[in-house]
Amino acid sequence: RYAGFLHFGLSSVGSFIYLIIGLIGTLVITRLVDPAEYGYMSMFTVYSNIGLMFCGLGLDQTLVRYFYHRDNLDYKRIECMSAPMILCAVLGLLLLPAALFTNTMGWTSQPISELVLLEINVFVLVIHRYAILLLRLRYHTKQYSTINIIQKATYLIIAVALVVWLRDYYFYILAVSTILSTLVATVCAMLLEK
């Protein structure tokens, strides 16, 4: 009973700190970045989340449903995670030539670098989803909250430093900051899980 209250308290404090960092970050970044570029980054985030949902195949929910029914870690780490990662890689390999073709034909003018960033972000998000989910399902509440705070703080530090330093390429700075902060959080979650 006390343990449940402790998990709830840690989660609440971690969420509060996460929200405060996010609020401060939003205020700072929106003052530094061109509004059109920030809006473009918001669309990048939306497309990344759609890609995560599509590539995830709902297997993250399978992990949640059967986590306590089976003790075997193979299905938790390999079976539930391999299909989304393979699908993400295959889609990335198919979308890149398709984008090159449509750009060559003049049908679209989407920069390939943006598509590559989107594919990388979706791939990192898939891995991050399972890494963070395993922390939650094993009741590692303190580590879970810490990882979320690390992700938000890393994003803020990288984004603000690069925006102040480069003073241009805002979309690319925000996209790379998002990818790097998620990657740092994912690596930390995987290290804490071992």
Side-chain angles (χ1 to χ4, degrees):
R1 189 169 163 170
Y2 174 75
F5 182 72
L6 181 65
H7 287 292
F8 176 75
L10 287 172
S11 179
S12 298
V13 170
S15 295
F16 181 74
I17 294 170
Y18 179 84
L19 288 174
I20 294 297
I21 294 171
L23 177 66
I24 292 169
T26 301
L27 293 173
V28 170
I29 289 174
T30 53
R31 295 287 292 164
L32 295 174
V33 174
D34 178 43
E37 296 283 323
Y38 191 76
Y40 200 52
M41 181 59 201
S42 296
M43 291 305 299
F44 177 83
T45 303
V46 168
Y47 290 143
S48 295
N49 288 330
I50 290 171
L52 172 62
M53 285 189 301
F54 182 77
C55 290
L57 300 171
L59 289 176
D60 56 339
Q61 297 307 312
T62 303
L63 177 64
V64 171
R65 180 177 175 141
Y66 295 110
F67 186 81
Y68 301 107
H69 294 288
R70 294 171 64 184
D71 291 333
N72 185 4
L73 280 176
D74 289 341
Y75 101 94
K76 295 173 185 175
R77 291 193 178 145
I78 298 169
E79 293 175 21
C80 290
M81 203 169 147
S82 61
M85 289 176 56
I86 291 169
L87 177 63
C88 191
V90 168
L91 281 178
L93 292 174
L94 292 176
L95 287 177
L96 194 58
L100 287 170
F101 177 73
T102 57
N103 281 354
T104 303
M105 298 302 288
W107 297 336
T108 61
S109 60
Q110 187 70 27
I112 299 302
S113 58
E114 294 171 6
L115 180 63
V116 169
L117 285 173
L118 181 68
E119 292 172 1
I120 292 169
N121 193 37
V122 171
F123 191 77
V124 170
L125 282 174
V126 167
I127 298 169
H128 178 74
R129 173 76 176 140
Y130 288 97
I132 204 84
L133 199 55
L134 285 174
L135 284 177
R136 280 185 70 195
L137 290 171
R138 290 189 174 169
Y139 296 110
H140 295 160
T141 310
K142 185 176 177 183
Q143 290 91 342
Y144 176 77
S145 295
T146 303
I147 294 299
N148 285 330
I149 293 168
I150 287 171
Q151 181 182 6
K152 190 59 85 170
T154 305
Y155 170 76
L156 182 60
I157 291 167
I158 293 171
V160 169
L162 288 177
V163 165
V164 169
W165 181 45
L166 295 176
R167 298 194 185 273
D168 202 3
Y169 309 107
Y170 297 126
F171 166 74
Y172 292 103
I173 289 171
L174 296 177
V176 168
S177 299
T178 300
I179 293 167
L180 289 177
S181 65
T182 306
L183 189 61
V184 166
T186 303
V187 169
C188 289
M190 293 168 101
L191 291 175
L192 287 174
E193 187 61 32
K194 290 191 175 198

